[in-house]
Structures are given as C-alpha cells and as structure tokens.
Amino acid sequence: MAEKTGRSRRWIAFLILSMTGGIVYQVAYIRFVFLGPTAKALELSAQDYGNIVSVFGVVAMVMYFFGGWFADKFSPRLLITIALVGTGIADIYLATAPGYFGALLVHIAFAVLGMGLYWPALVKAIGMLGDASEQGRLFGFLEGVRGITSTLVGLVGTAIVAMAVVPAHGVLWLIRIYGMLCFVLAAAVWFCVREDKGRLAALGSSAVTLRQLLLAAKNRYTWLIGLTVMLMYCFYTTLGYFSPLLEYQYGLAAGVIGVIGVVRTYVFQFVAGPAGGVLVDRVTKSSPRFLRWMFAGCAVIAAAFLVMPRTSTLMWVALTLMFVLCLFVFAARGVYWATVGEVEIPENERGGVIGLASGLAYLPDAFLPALAAWWIGDPTAEPAVPERGGGYTTLFAVLLATAVLGLLVTTLTQRVRAREVAARITAPQPQLAAD
C-alpha cells in the first residue's frame, strides 16, 4: 500500500512538473503564435519587439552555461518555485505595457529565470523521480505532457484573443492569465513535489567545468553537432514570421492565424518529435542521416516559397507547405542531440560538449528575430513599415542556404563517424599474453 501511494505521489509530482514546462515559457515565446498582436499590445514597433527578443536570446545563450551551477547548489524544487513565481511577476508587469526598457528587462528576466534557474532544475527534478531504467520513459513523457499542456492553453489563449474586440487587448489578458497560472503551479510544486535525496545525489553534477569546455573545444563533434542544431534552429526561430506572410500575402483569414500558430508551435512538438525518434531507431539507424533528410526537405520547402507567387489563390498550398516544414523541423528537434550518444562521446566529456554546442546551437535567437523583423517590415503599423533588404525573398533565400549548409554538415558528420568506425575495425587487435 505504501509503495502504491509512493508511486502515485511520484506520478502526481511528474505531471505537475511537466505541466510547468508548458506554461513557464509561454510569454517569452508568445511571438510564435501572436507576433503582430503582441507587439501592438506592448506598444512596440515590430522592429523594437524583434530587438528585445534578440536580447532575450543572447542572455538565454549565456544562461545555458551557468544553469547547471544553480542546479548543483540549490534544491530543484526551490529553484523551480522561484522561477515560476518570478516569471508570474514578470508576466503581470509586462501586461501593463511598460514600454521598451520595461519589456526589455522583463525578457532578460525570462532568460535568467527560464534558462538559468528553471530548466536545469527541472531536468534534475524529473531525473530523481525514477531509477536509471526509467529515465528514457520519464523524459519522453515530459515532452508529451509539455506539448499537450502548451496546446491546450494555446487554444484557450487563441479563443481569448479572438473574442477580444481588439486583439492586442486580448493578448494582454492572456499574458495576465499565464502569469496567474505560474503562481498556481508554483504553489503546486512547492506543496506536492518531494525530493528524494538519494536519487538526487546519484544524478551527479550538472555544472560544466572549464576543463570540460576545453576538452569539448578540441572535439570536432562539438562543432559538427552545434552547427547542425544551429542551422535547423534557424528554421524553428523564424516559424513565427510565417503568420504575417500567410495573412497579408496569401490572404489567410486573421481569425484562424492564432489557431494555425498553436498547431504550428505546439501540436507538432508532441507529434513530430516522437515520430522522428522512431524513424531514427527503425529506419535510418543514424541521427545524422535522418537530419540530412530533414535538411533536404527544408531546402525543398524554402525553395518553393522562394519561387512561388504570393497570391490568395495559392493560400492552401502555402499553408500545406508551412505544415510540412513544421513536420521536418520538429522531427529534427526530437533527435538532434541523440548524436552525442551515437558517436560515443565519453560520459565525462558530454557535459562540456552539450554546453559548448548549445551555446553555438541557439545563437540564431541572438540575431535572427531582429533581422527577420527588419526584413519583413510591419503591415499593421500606421503608417505601414514596408519590407526591407529583400523582405521574405531574402528570408527564404537565407533559409535555403541554411538548409544546404545543413546537408553538408550532416554529410560530413556521417563521413567522420564512418571513418572512425572503419579505423576501429581495421586496427590491429592487441595480442593476448600467453598463460
């Protein structure tokens, strides 16, 4: 009976912790669903909002390196609670439309709380809920619950914005609701999650040492993996800019843009991600080979958007192409870190490789939002800001070049790995000493 109660308590804790992942980042990444309305709600130009998001990306990139230190020094439950409360306060403050510098400070706080405190603590908290044989299942279900939570709150949020007389006002109410949900989940984590000190200690250190980073810098897979993720992440971070493209150039109704954004951002998260993992295990038997196919698909879609006329008669074609692109991007997201284990990087070096590769991988967040905002302009502004620097033509040309580079990098990763395996097979075996 006690064992059954303990198991039930662990699963309740798991569900609560997983649900926090579907809430804590909602406002920081709200642009993926409500790009234009959010900028208007915050009384910012599209360019200013893009600049703020880029600063968020820079701070987030730095916090990936320091987050492990916090997770080692403090209780995961305490860190998650602080991150949720802090994010809730930041959400409520942002809903007052505090101006450019206020919104900038809030997004810096989002990066520190979300990437510095919350994420490494969540990884430890989830890890301590099971033994070594349960880790794969726990983290697999974590993505699933996060995706479902994000989809449900995203659809409710879309309804709130759609019912508002002014969409920007609906966005502000949505931000307030997300803030309140952060407070509710913070209380749930604090009172319902218990820490198993033994399992927590067995997880080891999360911090990345200077020695690990130096070893990682000498490992060619660090740069190959980091470049691969970075190139695919360019597609992910520009998905939000498909909303104005579909609405203003292909004539998609404004009322369905929010729903499209939720499907594009969250539904594919828990559908395509696991599907990518299954395909790698059962079909390609290699994550670099699978990623090469995903880059090939992305190249075809980018080329299609580059040459296709932007007219309402092709609206459904454009929407279909965007969804296929999302399928490729999210399937890739589900497997690109699997390469770390596949190429047999030693356990004592993996922290450094992942840390340094992550800094490179998420670099697009530091510049691409501001650049994309400059390219596409802002048709909702008064007066409207026109496309600059080639507009969407430049955006899709850059994405096409990115996909081609991705093909080259993943091909190089495959060849490097094949040479290593071949060298190991042909290497002379050491002679066993005679008895």
Side-chain angles (χ1 to χ4, degrees):
M1 185 67 176
E3 182 181 344
K4 186 177 180 180
T5 302
R7 178 175 288 274
S8 298
R9 184 178 293 131
R10 284 201 304 273
W11 278 107
I12 290 171
F14 171 78
L15 287 173
I16 292 171
L17 289 169
S18 299
M19 288 171 65
T20 64
I23 298 296
V24 71
Y25 296 119
Q26 285 291 333
V27 180
Y29 290 101
I30 197 171
R31 70 186 188 276
F32 284 101
V33 182
F34 304 109
L35 179 64
T38 301
K40 274 200 165 184
L42 300 179
E43 300 176 7
L44 300 169
S45 70
Q47 186 64 64
D48 284 343
Y49 186 44
N51 293 341
I52 287 171
V53 170
S54 288
V55 172
F56 163 81
V58 171
V59 179
M61 185 174 62
V62 173
M63 294 313 299
Y64 279 118
F65 291 100
F66 294 101
W69 182 86
F70 289 109
D72 288 343
K73 296 294 182 183
F74 302 99
S75 154
R77 183 181 68 151
L78 175 64
L79 289 176
I80 293 170
T81 303
I82 291 173
L84 286 167
V85 170
T87 301
I89 293 171
D91 288 349
I92 299 299
Y93 177 65
L94 187 65
T96 66
Y100 180 85
F101 288 104
L104 179 63
L105 290 175
V106 165
H107 280 76
I108 291 172
F110 284 156
V112 173
L113 294 167
M115 285 66 178
L117 271 62
Y118 172 81
W119 182 251
L122 179 71
V123 170
K124 278 213 161 185
I126 294 292
M128 74 178 179
L129 294 176
D131 56 31
S133 66
E134 299 174 297
Q135 295 302 301
R137 187 181 1 159
L138 284 170
F139 283 97
F141 278 110
L142 168 65
E143 280 302 303
V145 175
R146 284 178 68 200
I148 291 170
T149 304
S150 298
T151 301
L152 292 176
V153 298
L155 290 173
V156 172
T158 300
I160 291 171
V161 175
M163 289 187 296
V165 177
V166 179
H169 294 169
V171 169
L172 292 179
W173 274 109
L174 182 58
I175 291 173
R176 294 186 187 104
I177 291 170
Y178 287 147
M180 296 305 297
L181 286 174
C182 282
F183 294 143
V184 171
L185 286 172
V189 169
W190 186 253
F191 291 110
C192 299
V193 175
R194 294 290 177 266
E195 293 178 340
D196 187 324
K197 302 296 184 183
R199 282 179 175 163
L200 193 59
L203 293 175
S205 174
S206 301
V208 178
T209 65
L210 180 60
R211 180 178 177 277
Q212 286 177 315
L213 288 176
L214 291 174
L215 285 173
K218 298 176 183 178
N219 191 321
R220 54 192 165 187
Y221 285 119
T222 300
W223 306 103
L224 291 171
I225 293 170
L227 279 171
T228 299
V229 181
M230 182 189 76
L231 293 166
M232 186 57 74
Y233 197 74
C234 287
F235 282 89
Y236 174 73
T237 201
T238 53
L239 287 178
Y241 296 95
F242 280 73
S243 293
L245 172 71
L246 293 172
E247 182 177 356
Y248 294 102
Q249 300 199 19
Y250 285 102
L252 193 67
V256 300
I257 288 293
V259 176
I260 295 299
V262 170
V263 173
R264 179 183 61 212
T265 308
Y266 302 126
V267 172
F268 281 96
Q269 179 181 6
F270 66 86
V271 173
V278 171
L279 287 171
V280 168
D281 288 343
R282 298 185 179 180
V283 180
T284 67
K285 310 295 183 181
S286 162
S287 52
R289 182 178 293 117
F290 176 78
L291 290 168
R292 186 173 64 175
W293 282 109
M294 295 302 98
F295 276 118
C298 289
V300 172
I301 301 296
F305 271 114
L306 188 60
V307 301
M308 189 170 66
R310 292 170 201 154
T311 170
S312 58
T313 57
L314 295 174
M315 176 180 66
W316 294 108
V317 176
L319 186 61
T320 301
L321 287 174
M322 186 202 68
F323 279 144
V324 174
L325 179 65
C326 291
L327 182 66
F328 293 148
V329 171
F330 280 92
R333 282 190 76 202
V335 303
Y336 48 43
W337 290 113
T339 308
V340 173
E342 193 174 304
V343 299
E344 299 177 296
I345 293 172
E347 288 284 349
N348 64 331
E349 295 182 25
R350 288 188 184 184
V353 169
I354 292 173
L356 189 56
S358 295
L360 179 62
Y362 301 116
L363 189 60
D365 261 347
F367 67 89
L368 206 45
L371 196 55
W374 186 78
W375 281 331
I376 70 171
D378 185 4
T380 67
E382 296 178 1
V385 177
E387 292 184 352
R388 289 163 290 189
Y392 276 104
T393 300
T394 300
L395 176 61
F396 288 120
V398 169
L399 290 178
L400 177 57
T402 296
V404 172
L405 284 173
L407 277 167
L408 294 175
V409 172
T410 48
T411 300
L412 180 60
T413 305
Q414 275 189 269
R415 291 182 177 178
V416 168
R417 180 59 182 164
R419 282 199 298 267
E420 285 185 350
V421 173
R424 186 181 304 169
I425 293 173
T426 58
Q429 299 297 315
Q431 295 292 324
L432 294 176
D435 290 335

